């Protein structure tokens, strides 16, 4: 499998006329890297989380408070529409599947929103609950947006947040690495991604937004991220775009209800380098490529 250090010539696949990632090359990469097509997320895991969402379990709501009832069947139907997973409730096991064409279509919408924010020099806030996988993706966006004149906000740096985990309540600290917010174990030194922890919680974005408001602003006009960063911001009325796997229905419900602008369906746990062609595609389409 090609690691795409330079998508196009290195793999014998076409790049577009501007030197970015062509659509066909991107589609092939999505399937080859298992970002879309058959992915590692298990069908039984996704179905279990759809049931929890239907029961309004806060662990899978990610900060969203849905207007609709969203029974299990409706969640499954929506995920079939947005991601391309099987909408057949009798299909209960095996790997999940994402339609790569839906991923690309959503990336187009994602890139368009990033480009609009850049054109308006909108203040942006970027945050991730997947620092070991997605930090580089968001950091590239933060760098490009900053270069375009957008204030990349870093409110509540170092603030402690008590968060529920499977090991009980743990105190985390809010940090920024290359302009991207993430949570670290409280007391960890330095800004290394190695200190980042995985989280679905909306508490980090709520903490950041409250700190920005208390300081008199500016507030972000766009939040870019995943998990609770997207749903938590959208629930508070701030425009949000992000990435989501098939076992996280909340962002897609948020999009269906008009709280989240764009959600890109993909596997959010593959090797970090596999997201590089996606960010190149986004930057090229949004007019931010260097």
């Amino acid at each position: 499998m090609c690691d795409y250090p330079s998508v196009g010539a290195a793999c014998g696949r076409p790049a577009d006329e501007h030197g970015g990632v062509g659509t066909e090359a991107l589609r092939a990469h999505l399937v080859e890297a298992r970002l879309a097509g058959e992915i590692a997320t298990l069908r039984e895991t996704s179905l279990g989380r759809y049931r929890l969402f239907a029961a309004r379990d806060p662990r899978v709501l990610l900060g969203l408070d849905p207007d609709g009832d969203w029974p299990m069947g409706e969640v499954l139907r929506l995920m079939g529409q947005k991601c391309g997973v099987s909408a057949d409730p009798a299909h209960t096991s095996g790997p999940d599947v994402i339609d790569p064409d839906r991923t690309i279509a959503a990336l187009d919408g994602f890139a368009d929103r990033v480009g609009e924010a850049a054109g308006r020099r909108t203040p942006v806030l970027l945050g991730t609950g997947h620092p070991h996988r997605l930090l580089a993706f968001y950091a590239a966006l933060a760098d490009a947006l900053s270069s375009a004149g957008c204030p990349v906000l870093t409110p509540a740096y170092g603030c402690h947040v008590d968060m529920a985990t499977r090991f009980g309540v743990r105190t985390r600290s809010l940090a920024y690495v290359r302009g991207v917010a993430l949570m670290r174990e409280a007391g960890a030194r330095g800004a290394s991604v190695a200190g980042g922890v995985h989280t679905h919680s909306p508490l980090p974005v709520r903490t950041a937004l409250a700190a920005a408001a208390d300081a008199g602003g500016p507030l972000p006009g766009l939040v870019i991220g995943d998990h609770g960063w997207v749903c938590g911001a959208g629930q508070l009325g701030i425009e949000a775009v992000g990435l989501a796997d098939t076992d996280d229905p909340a962002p897609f419900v948020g999009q269906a209800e008009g709280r989240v602008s764009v959600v890109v369906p993909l596997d959010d746990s593959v090797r970090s380098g596999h997201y590089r062609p996606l960010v190149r595609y986004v930057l090229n389409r949004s007019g931010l490529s260097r």
Side-chain angles (χ1 to χ4, degrees):
M1 180 186 297
C2 178
D3 195 32
Y4 286 80
S6 177
V7 176
C11 296
R13 292 177 178 162
D16 68 19
E17 61 183 345
H18 303 293
V21 185
T23 301
E24 290 305 313
L26 179 61
R27 190 184 192 284
H29 174 67
L30 290 171
V31 174
E32 189 176 11
R34 299 188 69 185
L35 286 155
E38 185 176 285
I39 62 174
T41 305
L42 296 176
R43 173 72 167 181
E44 43 267 57
T45 300
S46 294
L47 292 177
R49 291 177 68 84
Y50 301 167
R51 294 187 188 96
L52 290 175
F53 187 92
R56 293 189 178 246
D57 188 310
R59 293 173 296 177
V60 299
L61 292 178
L62 311 185
L64 190 71
D65 183 14
D67 288 333
D69 291 336
W70 292 102
M72 168 67 179
E74 286 301 302
V75 176
L76 181 57
R77 181 187 61 79
L78 177 70
M79 297 302 286
Q81 291 176 347
K82 296 297 186 182
C83 302
V85 303
S86 172
D88 181 1
H91 179 196
T92 60
S93 63
D96 241 338
V97 174
I98 294 175
D99 178 358
D101 291 325
R102 299 183 205 206
T103 301
I104 293 172
L107 276 172
D108 288 345
F110 181 100
D112 291 346
R113 286 303 304 120
V114 170
E116 289 170 17
R120 297 172 182 170
R121 297 187 176 180
T122 300
V124 294
L125 175 65
L126 300 96
T128 182
H130 269 295
H132 296 89
R133 303 297 184 180
L134 294 172
L135 174 62
F137 176 90
Y138 296 121
L141 294 177
D143 182 58
L145 286 164
S146 178
S147 295
C150 293
V152 176
L153 307 181
T154 58
Y157 188 99
C159 282
H160 286 185
V161 183
D162 291 331
M163 302 172 63
T165 74
R166 59 180 176 171
F167 305 110
V169 176
R170 295 287 187 270
T171 300
R172 313 293 197 197
S173 62
L174 181 59
Y176 289 86
V177 178
R178 298 170 59 195
V180 182
L182 53 84
M183 301 306 293
R184 294 191 294 158
E185 295 286 354
R189 294 183 178 276
S192 169
V193 66
V197 296
H198 175 261
T199 179
H200 288 77
S201 176
L203 292 178
V205 74
R206 291 174 184 168
T207 300
L209 293 173
D214 289 345
L219 292 173
L222 180 67
V223 172
I224 302 171
D226 48 61
H227 293 172
W229 287 94
V230 170
C231 291
Q235 183 64 36
L236 293 174
I238 296 175
E239 184 169 13
V241 298
L243 316 178
D245 208 331
T246 59
D247 61 351
D248 283 326
F252 297 100
V253 172
Q255 183 180 24
E257 292 194 342
R259 288 185 176 85
V260 177
S261 290
V262 182
V263 185
V264 180
L266 49 71
D267 189 319
D268 58 11
S269 296
V270 305
R271 205 165 44 150
S272 177
H274 287 319
Y275 299 98
R276 192 177 305 124
L278 280 67
V279 77
R280 288 185 60 194
Y281 182 87
V282 167
L283 293 177
N284 187 59
R285 181 179 173 93
S286 63
L288 296 175
S289 293
R290 295 178 176 177

